[in-house]
Amino acid sequence: MVTLDKAVIAKIEKGDKRFEILVDPELAYEYREKKTQVDIKKILAVDNVFKDSKKGMPASKQEIISFFGTDDIEKIAKEILEKGEIQLTTELRRKKLEAKKMEIAEFIAKNSIDPRTKMPHSVQRILNAMEEAKVHIDIFKRTEEQINDVVKAISTIIPISFEKIKLEIKIPAKHAPKCFGYLKSLNSNPEWLSDGSLRAIIEIPAGLKTEIFQKINNLTSGENEINIKS
């Protein structure tokens, strides 16, 4: 449980009603992001609901039940964390914003290409385009939910296209066992051939082509056959 001096306010408001809880900023953010399973009890600094936490003014049981339909602190905290506002410190907000930008840039780099060269853009180039386009990033919004808006904004600066390609991969028998798991991880259904070799057909975002080629070459010391199917 976080100490009070390191806790931040999480609040929810509706009309003239306002309720606050004191929470661990890192754990509250993780819970909101749904990246990990976080125990609500570990997020709370104290098991209290306030009208104004800075003044130490607790909300009455009647007010709490009227608003939330319960006085169960874990259920109340869950609703505030999911639907309310978490007041992160300036430093933590900056840190999370940079991490979210990087996450979005890496996603775009892996799943898109430059339609002129058919090669992926570098993460740094995408970050630079995001900066130039003054893209707004919401640290509490999932990466996947922000991709379309970000791509729309940066496409006026760098040409970008989300394309998929189909690869036919053949692995010689001597390398097949150590490649099977990797091919499986690419959502393929590797086929064992009569000579002990492996064959798989996968459909991937075009931006991942170089990464996959490099991985398979490393696993097979370059002894493989990869063809792009039309």
Side-chain angles (χ1 to χ4, degrees):
M1 183 178 285
V2 68
T3 56
L4 284 174
D5 61 312
K6 293 183 179 179
V8 297
I9 297 169
K11 65 179 182 178
I12 192 168
E13 296 180 271
K14 188 174 181 181
D16 62 346
K17 300 294 184 183
R18 172 185 175 121
F19 297 91
E20 300 178 350
I21 53 176
L22 296 173
V23 298
D24 181 312
E26 287 278 3
L27 293 181
Y29 181 82
E30 285 183 26
Y31 181 86
R32 183 73 163 259
E33 280 275 275
K34 294 182 172 63
K35 287 186 175 180
T36 56
Q37 292 291 328
V38 184
D39 186 345
I40 293 287
K41 290 181 179 178
K42 291 182 179 179
I43 300 175
L44 291 167
V46 288
D47 294 341
N48 292 74
V49 181
F50 301 90
K51 292 171 68 173
D52 189 330
S53 57
K54 289 182 179 178
K55 295 180 180 178
M57 294 174 55
S60 70
K61 184 173 181 178
Q62 184 178 351
E63 288 175 314
I64 292 170
I65 293 175
S66 175
F67 189 92
F68 295 99
T70 180
D71 62 350
D72 185 315
I73 187 62
E74 290 190 43
K75 291 179 180 178
I76 292 167
K78 185 173 183 291
E79 183 170 342
I80 293 175
L81 290 169
E82 292 177 358
K83 299 179 181 178
E85 176 187 343
I86 303 170
Q87 298 181 338
L88 300 182
T89 63
T90 301
E91 177 58 24
L92 184 56
R93 182 172 288 276
R94 184 199 62 76
K95 177 183 170 184
K96 296 303 182 185
L97 179 60
E98 291 305 311
K100 181 67 72 174
K101 283 181 181 178
M102 181 60 73
E103 199 172 280
I104 289 171
E106 288 176 344
F107 181 95
I108 294 173
K110 284 186 176 182
N111 290 277
S112 69
I113 58 171
D114 182 331
R116 302 167 305 179
T117 63
K118 301 300 181 182
M119 295 294 290
H121 291 292
S122 70
V123 171
Q124 189 57 54
R125 191 177 186 197
I126 293 168
L127 285 169
N128 292 343
M130 288 167 65
E131 188 69 26
E132 187 177 339
K134 295 180 171 57
V135 174
H136 171 72
I137 302 298
D138 186 336
I139 64 170
F140 291 112
K141 198 172 180 182
R142 294 178 67 81
T143 293
E144 293 80 2
E145 296 172 354
Q146 302 189 68
I147 295 300
N148 288 340
D149 288 340
V150 173
V151 169
K152 184 178 179 181
I154 68 174
S155 61
T156 60
I157 298 169
I158 56 174
I160 195 162
S161 174
F162 282 79
E163 296 180 12
K164 289 195 172 184
I165 58 172
K166 188 175 287 187
L167 301 178
E168 180 183 34
I169 302 170
K170 295 179 181 178
I171 308 294
K174 67 178 181 178
H175 299 298
K178 61 182 175 183
C179 291
F180 183 84
Y182 178 64
L183 293 176
K184 260 297 207 187
S185 74
L186 297 174
N187 294 319
S188 70
N189 189 20
E191 173 188 2
W192 290 99
L193 303 181
S194 58
D195 62 355
S197 63
L198 271 179
R199 176 179 178 271
I201 295 178
I202 62 172
E203 189 174 59
I204 59 166
L208 285 179
K209 181 181 71 172
T210 301
E211 180 183 321
I212 289 173
F213 276 38
Q214 290 175 344
K215 178 67 174 179
I216 291 176
N217 280 331
N218 288 338
L219 287 171
T220 65
S221 300
E223 297 177 4
N224 61 77
E225 183 181 337
I226 305 177
N227 298 304
I228 299 176
K229 297 178 68 68
S230 56

